[in-house]
Amino acid sequence: MADERYSDTTTTTTAAPGHTTTIIERRSGGSGIAIALVLLVAVVIGAFFLFNQNSAESRKDDAVASAARSVGAAADKAGDAISGEAK
């Protein structure tokens, strides 16, 4: 879990009698939001590459299956030609 650091500064200044100025300055570390944003971007980029790789594998598998069907069809034609049958 991220450590959040807060710094409160209160300054009271009296410039003239009856006139008081109070300045409250509050600062907090915003590193938790920055880290979450960087992690979100990393996850989105990782998912993009994973899905692209997955679709590339699928296209490759489809190409191999198509080539195997073509070879099978050619072998059937050659077998029919050898045996004297015509399709």
Side-chain angles (χ1 to χ4, degrees):
M1 205 147 164
D3 251 349
E4 292 294 327
R5 205 177 332 169
Y6 293 102
S7 174
D8 288 337
T9 305
T10 303
T11 306
T12 304
T13 307
T14 305
H19 180 67
T20 304
T21 304
T22 303
I23 300 170
I24 300 173
E25 185 177 320
R26 181 172 198 150
R27 295 182 187 180
S28 65
S31 62
I33 294 172
I35 290 172
L37 185 62
V38 168
L39 286 176
L40 178 65
V41 169
V43 167
V44 168
I45 290 172
F48 177 75
F49 283 116
L50 181 66
F51 287 131
N52 276 346
Q53 181 182 6
N54 226 2
S55 65
E57 288 291 324
S58 178
R59 285 192 301 258
K60 185 172 74 172
D61 291 344
D62 291 343
V64 169
S66 175
R69 281 192 295 273
S70 296
V71 169
D76 286 343
K77 284 183 181 179
D80 291 344
I82 291 172
S83 67
E85 296 177 18
K87 274 194 174 179

